[in-house]
Amino acid sequence: MSSATSRLERIAPDQWYRIQRLSDGITLIDEPWIKPFFRCNLWHVRGRDRDLLVDFGLGAVPLRRHVALLAERDLVGVASHTHFDHIGAASEFDYCHVHAAEADILAAPDNARTLADAFLNDEMFDALPPAPYAHSGYRIPVPPKIAHLEDGDVIDLGDRRFEVIHTPGHSPGGIALWEAASATLISGDLVYDGPLIEDAWHSNLDDYAASMRRLRALPARVVHGGHFPSFSGERLNTMIDDWLAHHDL
């Protein structure tokens, strides 16, 4: 069903985003009118010298205009990977950082390679963005500048340092961010506490298993995933062990 004929309610732009402040200077921004399975988590981390934003949501409603937190200070914007639900509003920021393996997709984010063609329809939503939004007209603008990330790079916020961990599997340029000082892992879509997507057009199960084992070795205390609620390091280990046992990889 297209949004042109949808009977779903339309939501005012100032009500589209939700903000939930967690501990350790981390804030969850999400789009509550998108159903949980499809709803991307945007993670904002407060730093001394600059802030960090991981992922950008659907982009159907201007993000910076309606989430004041994102316009207050210098900010490092990072895409955990280039699926449409994570990069929709990336163009609203001066730079978007992404792993080099998916920089070509971010530079030309068509609806096929970003999975919008596969998933963007009324089934994603409990209510729709404001008019004139229509699924058929959805396009992701190209960010003004794209910066490449590689495994081992460090994002320095002044008093906080996040290491880039390349985690291919869900997609070839997927990354996680690891803050050793607080044992905090921002895991992207490789692993979260819900049904994982392992069969996208550029997914790879061998890479997935290697990335899972790499995250399993971290002494994580808390994990903030790309979807669904945050969870403990113990829960992470259990999920990874179960995944590896099930896949026999």
Side-chain angles (χ1 to χ4, degrees), residues 3 103 122 180 232:
S3 58
D122 272 8
S232 69

Side-chain angles (χ1 to χ4, degrees), residues 147-171:
H148 293 188
L149 293 173
E150 298 286 358
D151 187 74
D153 285 352
V154 173
I155 298 171
D156 189 348
L157 306 182
D159 57 343
R160 309 188 69 164
R161 294 165 58 85
F162 286 84
E163 179 187 352
V164 175
I165 301 177
H166 183 206
T167 54
H170 176 72
S171 67

Side-chain angles (χ1 to χ4, degrees), residues 133-156:
Y133 170 82
H135 307 318
S136 60
Y138 180 79
R139 301 293 184 273
I140 301 169
V142 179
K145 295 182 180 179
I146 296 171
H148 293 188
L149 293 173
E150 298 286 358
D151 187 74
D153 285 352
V154 173
I155 298 171
D156 189 348

Side-chain angles (χ1 to χ4, degrees), residues 67-205:
V67 181
L69 178 67
L70 302 180
E72 293 174 354
R73 306 173 78 233
D74 183 27
L75 184 144
V76 180
V78 175
S80 66
H81 62 299
T82 58
H83 291 159
F84 75 104
D85 51 325
H86 293 259
I87 61 169
S91 64
E92 297 180 28
F93 299 84
D94 294 337
Y95 277 88
C96 182
H97 295 73
V98 68
H99 191 272
E102 289 183 37
D104 63 319
I105 299 177
L106 189 61
D110 63 88
N111 285 3
R113 293 193 299 166
T114 63
L115 301 188
D117 281 348
F119 289 101
L120 187 64
N121 57 54
D122 272 8
E123 297 305 311
M124 271 187 58
F125 297 88
D126 289 323
L128 291 177
Y133 170 82
H135 307 318
S136 60
Y138 180 79
R139 301 293 184 273
I140 301 169
V142 179
K145 295 182 180 179
I146 296 171
H148 293 188
L149 293 173
E150 298 286 358
D151 187 74
D153 285 352
V154 173
I155 298 171
D156 189 348
L157 306 182
D159 57 343
R160 309 188 69 164
R161 294 165 58 85
F162 286 84
E163 179 187 352
V164 175
I165 301 177
H166 183 206
T167 54
H170 176 72
S171 67
I175 62 168
L177 297 180
W178 168 245
E179 185 180 42
S182 65
T184 297
L185 179 66
I186 301 175
S187 61
D189 272 12
L190 184 84
V191 59
Y192 47 75
D193 200 355
L196 302 179
I197 294 178
E198 308 160 1
D199 58 355
W201 68 275
H202 53 183
S203 300
N204 181 289
L205 283 178

Side-chain angles (χ1 to χ4, degrees), residues 8-40:
L8 290 175
E9 177 187 2
R10 296 276 186 172
I11 299 300
D14 62 354
Q15 298 177 15
W16 185 254
Y17 293 103
R18 175 173 57 182
I19 299 171
Q20 302 173 66
R21 296 185 185 276
L22 308 181
S23 60
D24 297 329
I26 294 178
T27 298
L28 169 61
I29 303 164
D30 67 2
E31 301 168 272
W33 309 103
I34 297 175
K35 292 179 179 177
F37 177 76
F38 305 99
R39 184 190 307 151
C40 172

